[in-house]
Amino acid sequence: MMFMRGKVYRVEAIDGRVECPVCHTIIDSEDFENYEFLDIDDSYYGDISSITIRCSRCGAVLEVF
């Protein structure tokens, strides 16, 4: 991943939301102002296994499962 300069936090999505472990912002998947989409990792069968986003508030990179 070319965008990785620092630490990447692995977080689990619950009901389409994640909490940023750095600034504790609740990021809702439908609120596009809270995050920047960076990458998608899909499995061999076409299912999405994770996405990578950047928190708009603090800039932390999150790998969401």
Side-chain angles (χ1 to χ4, degrees), residues 37-55:
F37 178 77
L38 298 176
D39 191 25
I40 188 167
D41 183 21
D42 52 356
S43 71
Y44 178 76
Y45 298 105
D47 298 331
I48 296 173
S49 58
S50 71
I51 64 167
T52 306
I53 62 174
R54 182 182 318 274
C55 176

Side-chain angles (χ1 to χ4, degrees), residues 9-38 51-65:
Y9 298 91
R10 299 180 81 185
V11 294
E12 181 180 357
I14 299 174
D15 295 329
R17 291 186 226 143
V18 297
E19 179 180 355
C20 177
V22 177
C23 66
H24 304 289
T25 298
I26 302 297
I27 300 172
D28 190 322
S29 61
E30 295 180 5
D31 186 5
F32 301 110
E33 294 180 7
N34 284 334
Y35 68 93
E36 174 188 353
F37 178 77
L38 298 176
I51 64 167
T52 306
I53 62 174
R54 182 182 318 274
C55 176
S56 293
R57 184 170 179 194
C58 69
V61 177
L62 312 175
E63 186 175 6
V64 182
F65 292 91

